[in-house]
């Protein structure tokens, strides 16, 4: 059972968290202006890298706060966690 | 009647406490401190079971968890299958039966209690042998919180099976006692005996099974949990799990009386038991010499030691000679004789001079070397390396925060073990933030040290392939060398595949003695190097763990939290049947004497439509939305407009995902300019709150909105039916309940005439199409409200109803249940709810998807009603809908399926809701529903089947 460091609560067991998919996929400013294909890309398409991946997590059974994490999808190691209002830490190969 | 193989003195058994036990009906005596296996050997019993496939007699081959053959079923005091005789601690009254590889579960509930405990520490040490003890003590002296886990009933590890002396310290037992005493006296140190660490996981998480009262048998106190799962979270892990001896494969290597040499030493020194009276030893390394010498010193006849190596160790050979043991170098066992017990050993030179011979004996001890117990390290995905000098896999890389020491790392002598233990203990405590601890003096011993390198020998070479192969690789699975060769002959190369093909290593022992040998034989057969083969993956658990222990206290009522409403006890007293909705217990229906479910539901429906009825709606999810941007926020979440809702008014709302599919629905109440209360379906409350938080926190953090779950704060009672206004009026003297003053989709706060005045919020909403009020009070007053409504409604025959009636009433009106009539592929338009989708709002979640071409296909599945041709028919929910009256040959084109189906009192017939391709265009058509061998004709209708005009909602 992995430990995940909630930026607000500190390390907690993974069962307290919910996964929220890829981070930094902004809701489009004007969805109506998008083509069907561009909209479908926003709705259905996400990156699937082998390596560091910026993701959203929610400390669902704790403080209920959403935060971002960079996880290495090969090892599941969480390389960084950062609050929603913090910039993504620089890291080569990060999506 | 039984032979006595117990030495007059010695061993760590308590000879003052004799214990009665039996195997297969044969009564015997043993001592406190025995295992079932040692007690059997003391009685001269080697055979424990017969083998699963060939029915061959099988005995005790080891002294610990690695044993592959001595399986028993415990019958008394409580039935327990698949126990290894070598790990069952003896207790008085133990009744066991030998098992041919398959046990039998108890036919009665287990009265024992099981539990779990969490512990956090700086350093966990697995194994209380010399390496583990030194590691634990070194860490403890630094001030670190240490947990020491050991699977035996006493610490010492390999020392328990030896008679060596420690220089300066005397017996190893005294040293072990001293170390343990200091550990126990150190604050923050936890020593767990009889505890098997069976699983190692991420971030220093370790699971261990503690057998707390198993060894007490029927005398175990009932108030103490029999077994406990320890969930250990450690900053640093030290694995000191030792090594398992490995046999050598030869013909008829499975007879009772054939045993690992190290096991014989354990039986001799720990239990004071001789394995036999005339013992032959067969080895590939120096360690078994000690067994031969020590047994000879007890006066047992040890005529011969066969050393597979051409050049045996001189010093040890001399020691053997001094005790009358003939050492034959370059020799091996080629076969054995005997029926239920070995009687003779056939030997032959492996190469060069010498001639085959046959030696009489009653015991054959075998040593093919030692396999480090790398299970936990491998479970952590640590890579293993083949060590050719050992003929075994050892840890092949460094893992962060994990150290493997002693025999588990391939060190087979005491000096290396204790040195590594001390180093690991120091490194672990320093890594955990503690200062350099005072060093622990390391014991030195007089034990014989290895003189010569070991030889790696998996099997004794055989001239011709035997017809009926008795060269057993996995005794428990009855798998032989021929089985391995059949696998490689069939083209299999991967050990994982061969393991599955031959089943080697898949029994209760998980191949602890057979896995390495199988790998070796495979490599020989394929002509490849073992080092180039990937060993099979070690997975938890290391040893069998009872499901009862894993379940712990989470059984029966404690299996899952149960949520009940403030009125629950009333429902129970009225004999309601309950339905689980998430964790909630909801009344399903309230049968009267003699009624079945159908009768009760028809009666409850009639009451709601004809007079007045009430239900417990407290489980509805309720989210309090506060803050000045609440309206803007809800506008984005719901398909319809919420920001223009007036204070005092209520609006029904639909929520969609970004893909435009409905995820939930409910009502939105505007409490103030900056405050709303939204409701969710019962099962979705937590999910919807998280959904709202996700958007608020990740996408629109600038919005000043705060969300709070208030589901349990309120007791909620829908009061339904034409007479509901009368009932409410009698309880709400201050409230003008007229339709003009209190219209549909509005709410009022008032004080109810309930136990001296209870504040209530009354909402005029209806999920049944009838005149209805949803009365909300502080949950504290829920039961009082309920009883007051029952009393006030008595003149009208007020009737409580459950979820089933609620479903029927709403289905008659075509109101969908999200998650029952929808499945994540249904849009508001598919449900016929375009009226709930705002045209004015520039955007909301899902809006853009409604414009996708896929969402505008005319053949989308749409919600419609179905009326079976025979009014008595109630279609099964989930039934498929087809176009033809006869079931065509597959593939059959499915038009959709029945989502809700009931018998209706109001319609006096069965009816259903369904999602059907182009459903709304098919209204009036006849479609067909295959049910078992029948095909039922149905007429497609509008989804609203009752009171289409909505005349009933105002009373």
């Amino acid at each position: 059972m992995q430990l995940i460091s909630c930026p607000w609560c500190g390390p907690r067991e993974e069962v307290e968290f919910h996964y929220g998919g890829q981070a930094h996929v902004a809701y489009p400013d004007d969805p109506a202006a998008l083509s069907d294909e561009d909209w479908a890309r926003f709705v259905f398409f996400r990156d699937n890298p082998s390596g560091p991946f910026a993701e959203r997590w929610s400390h669902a059974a704790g403080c209920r706060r959403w935060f971002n994490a960079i996880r290495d999808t090969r090892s599941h190691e969480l390389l960084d966690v950062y609050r929603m209002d913090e910039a993504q830490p620089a890291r080569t190969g990060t999506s | 009647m039984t032979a006595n193989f117990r030495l007059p003195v010695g061993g760590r058994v308590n000879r003052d406490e004799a214990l009665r036990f039996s195997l297969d009906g044969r009564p015997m005596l043993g001592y406190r401190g025995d295992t079932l296996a040692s007690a059997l050997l003391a009685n001269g019993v080697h055979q424990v079971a017969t083998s699963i496939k060939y029915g061959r007699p099988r005995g005790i081959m080891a002294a610990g968890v690695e044993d592959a053959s001595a399986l028993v079923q415990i019958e008394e005091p409580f039935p327990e299958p698949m126990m290894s005789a070598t790990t069952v601690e003896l207790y008085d009254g133990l009744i066991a039966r030998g098992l041919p590889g398959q046990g039998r579960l108890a036919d009665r509930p287990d009265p024992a209690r099981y539990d779990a405990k969490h512990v956090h520490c700086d350093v966990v040490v697995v194994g209380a042998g010399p390496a583990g003890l030194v590691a634990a003590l070194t860490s403890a002296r630094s001030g670190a919180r240490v947990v020491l886990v050991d699977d035996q009933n006493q610490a010492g590890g390999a020392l328990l099976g030896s008679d060596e002396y420690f220089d300066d310290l005397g017996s190893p037992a005294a040293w072990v006692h001293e170390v343990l005493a200091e550990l126990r006296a150190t604050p923050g140190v936890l020593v767990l005996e009889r505890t098997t660490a069976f699983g190692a996981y991420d971030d220093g998480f370790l699971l261990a099974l503690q057998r707390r009262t198993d060894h007490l048998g029927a005398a175990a106190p009932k108030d103490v949990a029999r077994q406990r799962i320890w969930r250990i979270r450690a900053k640093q892990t030290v694995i000191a799990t030792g090594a398992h001896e490995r046999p050598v494969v030869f013909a008829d290597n499975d007879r009772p009386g054939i045993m690992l040499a190290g096991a014989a030493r354990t039986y001799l020194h720990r239990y004071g038991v001789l394995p036999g009276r005339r013992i032959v030893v067969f080895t590939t390394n120096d360690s078994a010499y000690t067994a031969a010498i020590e047994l000879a010193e007890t006066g047992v006849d040890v005529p011969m030691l066969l050393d597979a190596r051409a050049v045996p160790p001189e010093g040890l050979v001399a020691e053997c000679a001094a005790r009358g043991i003939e050492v034959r170098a370059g020799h091996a066992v080629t076969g054995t004789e005997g029926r239920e017990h070995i009687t003779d050993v056939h030997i032959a030179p492996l190469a060069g001079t010498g001639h085959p011979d046959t030696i009489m004996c009653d015991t054959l001890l075998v040593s093919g070397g030692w396999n480090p117990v790398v299970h936990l390290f491998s479970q952590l995905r640590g890579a293993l390396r083949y060590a050719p000098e050992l003929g075994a896999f050892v840890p092949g890389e460094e893992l962060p925060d994990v150290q493997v020491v002693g025999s588990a790392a391939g060190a087979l002598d005491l000096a290396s073990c204790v040195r590594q233990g001390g180093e690991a203990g120091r490194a672990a405590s320093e890594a955990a933030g503690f200062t350099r601890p005072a060093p622990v003096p390391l014991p030195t011993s007089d034990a014989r040290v290895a003189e010569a390198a070991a030889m790696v020998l998996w099997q004794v070479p055989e001239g011709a392939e035997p017809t009926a192969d008795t060269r057993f690789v996995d005794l428990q699975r009855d798998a032989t060398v021929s089985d391995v060769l059949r696998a490689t002959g069939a083209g299999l190369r991967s050990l994982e595949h061969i393991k599955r093909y031959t089943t080697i290593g898949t029994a209760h022992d998980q191949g602890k003695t057979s896995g390495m040998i199988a790998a070796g034989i495979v490599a020989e057969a394929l002509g490849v190097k073992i080092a180039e083969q990937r060993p099979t993956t070690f997975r938890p658990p290391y040893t069998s763990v009872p499901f009862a222990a894993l379940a712990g206290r989470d059984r029966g009522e404690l299996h899952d939290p149960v949520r009940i409403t403030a009125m629950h006890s009333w429902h129970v007293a009225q004999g309601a049947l309950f339905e689980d909705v998430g964790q909630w217990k909801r009344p399903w229906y309230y049968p009267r004497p003699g009624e079945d479910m159908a009768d009760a539901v028809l009666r409850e429906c009639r009451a709601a439509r004809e007079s007045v009825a009430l239900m417990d709606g407290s489980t509805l999810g309720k989210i309090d939305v506060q803050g000045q941007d609440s309206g803007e926020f809800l506008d984005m979440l719901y398909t319809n407009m919420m920001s223009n809702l007036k204070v005092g008014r209520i609006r029904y709302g639909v929520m969609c995902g970004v893909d435009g599919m409905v995820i939930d629905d409910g009502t939105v109440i505007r409490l103030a300019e900056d405050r709303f209360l939204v409701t969710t379906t019962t099962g979705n409350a937590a999910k919807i709150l998280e959904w709202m938080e996700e958007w608020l926190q990740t996408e629109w953090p600038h919005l000043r909105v705060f969300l709070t779950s208030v589901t349990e704060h309120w007791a909620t009672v829908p009061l339904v039916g034409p007479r509901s206004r009368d009932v409410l009026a009698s309880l709400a003297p201050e409230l003008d309940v007229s339709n003009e003053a209190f219209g549909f989709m509005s709410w009022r706060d008032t004080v109810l005439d309930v136990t001296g005045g209870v504040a209530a919020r009354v909402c005029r909403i209806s999920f049944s199409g009838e005149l209805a009020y949803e009365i909300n009070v502080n949950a504290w007053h829920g039961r009082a409200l309920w009883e007051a409504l029952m009393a006030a409604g008595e003149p009208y025959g007020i009737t409580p109803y459950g979820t089933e009636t609620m479903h029927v009433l709403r289905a008659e009106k075509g109101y969908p249940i999200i998650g029952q009539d929808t499945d994540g592929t249904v849009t508001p338009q598919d449900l016929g709810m375009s009226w709930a989708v705002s045209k004015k709002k520039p955007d909301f979640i899902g809006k853009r998807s409604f414009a996708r071409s896929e969402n505008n296909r005319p053949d989308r599945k749409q919600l419609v009603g179905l009326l079976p041709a025979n009014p008595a028919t109630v279609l099964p929910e989930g039934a498929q809908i087809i176009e033809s009256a006869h079931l065509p040959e597959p593939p059959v084109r499915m038009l959709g399926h029945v989502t809700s189906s009931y018998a209706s009192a109001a319609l006096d017939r069965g009816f259903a809701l369904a999602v059907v391709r182009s459903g709304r265009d098919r209204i009036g058509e006849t479609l067909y529903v295959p049910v078992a061998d029948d095909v039922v004709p149905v007429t497609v209708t509008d989804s609203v089947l009752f009171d289409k005009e909505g005349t009933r909602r105002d009373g």
Side-chain angles (χ1 to χ4, degrees):
Chain A
M1 170 117 56
Q2 243 184 309
L3 293 177
I4 296 176
S5 275
C6 169
W8 305 96
C9 305
R12 295 288 189 275
E13 294 196 337
E14 63 183 272
V15 290
E16 294 186 16
F17 297 84
H18 283 185
Y19 182 64
Q22 184 174 0
H24 310 299
V25 181
Y27 187 81
D29 285 339
D30 184 7
L34 297 182
S35 67
D36 266 15
E37 184 180 333
D38 287 342
W39 175 250
R41 287 201 174 278
F42 164 72
V43 175
F44 300 115
F45 285 64
R46 294 293 181 271
D47 294 339
N48 185 24
S50 170
F53 187 38
E55 304 170 330
R56 296 186 313 181
W57 287 81
S58 153
H59 193 188
C63 64
R64 278 174 39 199
R65 301 292 289 258
W66 283 84
F67 60 93
N68 292 323
I70 296 179
R71 180 177 62 101
D72 189 320
T73 59
R74 293 164 302 193
S75 64
H76 298 305
E77 190 187 353
L78 285 157
L79 306 170
D80 272 305
V81 293
Y82 52 104
R83 300 194 313 250
M84 297 307 304
D85 59 353
E86 289 176 328
Q88 178 176 358
R91 186 173 283 281
T92 52
T94 299
S95 62
Chain B
M1 69 183 246
T2 58
N4 187 4
F5 285 79
R6 183 91 63 181
L7 291 169
V9 292
R12 290 156 177 263
V13 290
N14 179 2
R15 290 165 193 259
D16 296 330
E17 198 178 346
L19 307 172
R20 293 158 301 168
F21 73 100
S22 76
L23 176 72
D24 294 325
R26 177 175 168 186
M28 286 172 266
L29 286 177
Y31 292 128
R32 174 73 64 199
D34 265 324
T35 60
L36 176 56
S38 71
L40 287 169
L41 292 175
N43 286 277
V45 176
H46 275 255
Q47 184 186 343
V48 170
T50 50
S51 73
I52 186 163
K53 232 157 71 183
Y54 303 124
R56 291 171 66 97
R58 291 285 162 78
I60 296 158
M61 64 167 280
V65 296
E66 71 273 32
D67 189 278
S69 52
L71 270 190
V72 296
Q73 165 97 23
I74 292 184
E75 301 288 7
E76 296 290 340
F78 187 80
E80 200 163 6
M82 302 294 282
M83 303 294 287
S84 182
T86 58
T87 61
V88 173
E89 285 191 55
L90 195 68
Y91 47 81
D92 198 49
L94 171 67
I95 296 178
R97 199 163 50 75
L99 275 187
Q102 278 182 350
R104 176 178 44 79
L105 289 172
D107 51 6
R108 54 186 195 263
D110 186 351
R113 188 185 274 202
Y114 301 82
D115 68 10
K117 212 163 168 175
H118 293 256
V119 62
H120 293 256
C121 63
D122 299 303
V123 181
V124 65
V125 178
V126 184
L133 284 171
V134 173
L137 188 57
T138 306
S139 283
R141 283 186 178 178
S142 76
R145 292 170 303 161
V146 176
V147 175
L148 173 62
V149 178
D150 188 75
D151 69 343
Q152 298 294 304
N153 61 4
Q154 53 195 308
L159 297 173
L160 297 169
S162 114
D163 73 339
E164 65 201 89
Y165 267 83
F166 279 6
D167 309 331
D168 309 329
L169 290 163
S171 85
W175 176 77
V176 171
H177 180 81
E178 216 170 278
V179 171
L180 269 189
E182 183 177 337
L183 283 172
R184 290 214 163 92
T186 308
V189 173
L190 177 65
V191 178
L192 295 173
E193 285 169 345
R194 297 188 169 97
T195 304
T196 306
F198 63 82
Y201 304 86
D202 295 316
D203 293 325
F205 191 60
L206 196 77
L207 289 180
L209 173 72
Q210 184 180 29
R211 295 165 293 277
R212 303 177 74 212
T213 66
D214 286 22
H215 59 291
L216 300 175
K222 298 285 174 274
D223 58 339
V224 174
R226 179 185 175 215
Q227 296 178 346
R228 170 172 289 167
I229 299 285
W230 285 86
R231 302 163 179 270
I232 302 165
R233 179 74 73 171
K235 290 180 186 156
Q236 296 286 317
T237 303
V238 178
I239 297 171
T241 42
H244 290 149
E245 198 165 17
R246 167 177 84 227
V248 179
V249 176
F250 46 81
D252 293 316
N253 61 337
D254 62 331
R255 294 195 201 285
I258 301 176
M259 186 184 281
L260 292 165
R265 290 188 73 203
T266 297
Y267 287 117
L268 174 64
H269 298 302
R270 183 168 175 182
Y271 303 104
V273 171
L274 293 171
R277 306 240 187 260
R278 187 175 157 85
I279 299 170
V280 171
V281 181
F282 171 37
T283 187
T284 62
N285 62 87
D286 287 3
S287 70
Y289 279 80
T290 303
I293 292 164
E294 287 170 351
L295 284 162
E297 282 173 345
T298 65
V300 168
D301 186 10
V302 185
M304 187 173 291
L305 183 146
L306 306 159
D307 193 328
R309 296 170 294 184
V311 183
E314 272 176 39
L316 291 171
V317 169
E319 280 200 68
C320 283
R323 290 165 182 85
I325 306 168
E326 181 193 349
V327 174
R328 285 206 193 167
H331 275 66
V333 173
T334 54
T336 67
E337 299 292 334
R339 291 172 66 86
E340 286 163 9
H341 201 113
I342 186 170
T343 55
D344 300 275
V345 178
H346 301 303
I347 67 169
L350 278 168
T353 55
H355 53 84
D357 204 349
T358 296
I359 317 290
M360 240 175 62
C361 68
D362 64 4
T363 304
L364 171 62
L365 302 185
V366 181
S367 177
W370 296 83
N371 296 331
V373 178
V374 294
H375 297 65
L376 296 178
F377 178 81
S378 178
Q379 287 174 17
L380 290 169
R381 281 170 278 176
L384 300 178
R385 172 181 69 82
Y386 179 69
E389 70 280 10
L390 294 171
F393 288 105
V394 293
E397 65 170 331
E398 298 276 320
L399 287 184
D401 307 320
V402 176
Q403 298 175 82
V404 186
V405 294
S407 305
L412 296 178
D413 64 295
L414 180 78
S416 305
C417 287
V418 292
R419 180 176 45 75
Q420 290 179 7
E423 286 165 1
R426 194 158 49 246
S429 45
E430 281 176 16
F434 293 85
T435 50
R436 224 176 157 70
V440 174
L442 301 181
T444 54
S445 133
D446 66 347
R448 291 172 186 85
V449 293
E451 294 174 29
M455 173 181 177
V456 175
L457 181 69
W458 311 117
Q459 57 167 327
V460 177
E462 191 115 344
E465 202 55 22
T467 44
D469 196 356
T470 59
R471 297 168 299 166
F472 289 94
V473 178
D474 187 331
L475 269 62
Q476 187 52 225
R477 287 290 189 230
D478 262 352
T480 63
V481 173
S482 298
D483 293 323
V484 177
L485 298 180
R486 198 169 299 123
T488 54
L492 302 181
R493 298 182 70 86
S494 147
L495 291 177
E496 295 284 4
H497 295 159
I498 291 162
K499 170 180 173 173
R500 282 152 184 80
Y501 188 89
T502 60
T503 72
I504 288 171
T506 61
H508 72 287
D509 60 303
Q510 291 284 290
K512 290 185 176 66
T513 55
S514 58
M516 195 61 236
I517 292 174
I521 294 173
V522 167
E524 280 177 4
L526 296 176
V528 298
K529 289 199 173 91
I530 294 183
E532 286 156 14
Q533 288 190 306
R534 227 172 66 173
T536 55
T537 311
F538 292 89
R539 293 189 184 86
Y542 167 63
T543 52
S544 321
V545 178
F547 279 115
L550 292 174
R553 302 299 311 277
D554 303 335
R555 300 167 69 169
E557 282 192 331
L558 299 180
H559 174 64
D560 198 35
V562 171
R563 300 173 79 181
I564 55 171
T565 69
M567 296 79 111
H568 185 76
S569 54
W570 190 94
H571 308 319
V572 172
Q574 295 299 309
L577 279 93
F578 289 87
E579 179 181 30
D580 289 337
V581 183
Q583 291 169 329
W584 286 105
K585 294 282 176 204
R586 298 200 71 180
W588 191 13
Y589 59 100
Y590 298 79
R592 287 185 180 162
E595 277 185 344
D596 62 11
M597 177 166 166
D599 297 338
V601 171
L602 287 173
R603 172 179 54 74
E604 291 173 13
C605 285
R606 265 195 300 274
R609 295 258 183 248
E610 291 166 13
S611 181
V612 62
L614 80 176
M615 83 171 299
D616 186 350
S618 307
T619 63
L620 214 62
K622 306 173 199 77
I623 299 168
D624 185 278
V625 182
Q626 294 192 47
Q628 53 205 111
D629 298 324
S630 299
E632 186 186 342
F633 177 64
L634 294 179
D635 276 351
M636 283 301 289
L637 284 167
Y638 285 95
T639 58
N640 39 4
M641 188 85 93
M642 292 300 171
S643 56
N644 64 356
L645 185 64
K646 299 219 166 15
V647 174
R649 298 287 299 171
I650 303 171
R651 192 164 286 162
Y652 171 79
V654 176
M655 271 191 208
C656 291
V658 284
D659 58 1
M661 304 303 160
V662 176
I663 56 171
D664 204 51
D665 70 343
T667 54
V668 176
I669 296 172
R670 189 156 208 169
L671 299 172
E673 272 309 310
D674 61 352
R675 189 169 183 188
F676 295 79
L677 184 84
V678 310
T679 65
T680 72
T681 50
T682 294
N684 262 351
K687 196 180 104 185
I688 293 303
L689 179 60
E690 199 172 297
W691 170 251
M692 293 168 80
E693 286 284 4
E694 178 178 351
W695 287 96
L696 191 55
Q697 293 180 33
T698 67
E699 210 59 53
W700 309 310
H702 58 280
L703 293 181
R704 287 155 298 179
V705 178
F706 302 90
L707 305 170
T708 310
S709 167
V710 294
T711 300
E712 273 143 335
H713 301 201
W714 297 93
T716 302
V717 182
L719 181 68
V720 177
R723 309 309 297 263
S724 59
R725 183 174 281 137
D726 303 307
V727 176
L728 176 63
S730 70
L731 279 184
E734 295 167 18
L735 187 65
D736 183 348
V737 296
S738 69
N739 197 42
E740 297 69 36
F742 189 3
F744 188 59
M745 295 307 260
S746 61
W747 62 269
R748 299 286 181 270
D749 279 348
T750 190
V751 174
L752 296 182
D753 188 11
V754 175
T755 57
V758 168
R761 175 166 299 144
V762 185
C763 303
R764 252 205 75 188
I765 54 177
S766 177
F767 197 40
S768 58
E770 297 299 320
L771 172 69
Y773 299 88
E774 186 196 81
I775 307 168
N776 295 276
V777 298
N778 183 313
W780 185 257
H781 302 293
R783 172 135 190 194
L785 168 68
W786 185 275
E787 287 178 0
L789 287 167
M790 286 301 295
E794 218 217 315
Y796 313 103
I798 192 167
T799 301
Y801 68 95
T803 50
E804 189 65 18
T805 292
M806 171 190 80
H807 279 217
V808 179
L809 296 175
R810 64 90 202 173
E812 289 168 345
K813 288 291 294 175
Y815 297 149
I817 298 260
I818 307 308
Q820 174 167 341
D821 300 294
T822 70
D823 62 2
T825 65
V826 178
T827 65
Q829 296 82 0
D830 297 338
L831 292 174
M833 287 191 178
S834 297
W835 55 268
V837 178
S838 168
K839 310 268 184 305
K840 282 186 280 182
K841 289 194 291 184
D843 194 26
F844 54 84
I845 296 169
K847 180 179 168 80
R848 175 62 185 84
S849 287
F850 296 151
R852 293 180 69 228
S853 52
E854 179 65 27
N855 289 32
N856 289 292
R857 286 168 58 139
D859 64 344
R860 287 188 65 82
K861 288 181 186 170
Q862 295 164 333
L863 187 74
V864 291
L866 297 181
L867 293 176
N870 178 353
T873 303
V874 178
L875 297 167
E877 290 175 354
Q880 296 288 326
I881 298 160
I882 61 173
E883 225 158 6
S884 57
H886 298 285
L887 198 56
E889 286 299 308
V892 181
R893 183 166 175 253
M894 305 295 186
L895 296 180
H897 69 278
V898 175
T899 57
S900 297
S901 178
Y902 312 97
S904 164
L907 304 172
D908 194 24
R909 60 171 294 126
F911 75 104
L913 296 178
V915 287
V916 177
R917 289 205 177 282
S918 312
R920 282 197 290 276
D921 288 343
R922 293 179 186 272
I923 288 174
E925 278 183 28
T926 299
L927 294 176
Y928 299 89
V929 178
V931 178
D933 296 331
D934 221 4
V935 177
V936 179
V938 296
T939 305
V940 181
T941 71
D942 189 87
S943 58
V944 184
L945 287 156
F946 181 73
D947 187 30
K948 274 193 179 50
E949 302 73 28
T951 53
R952 305 180 63 87
R953 72 161 205 223
D954 293 331

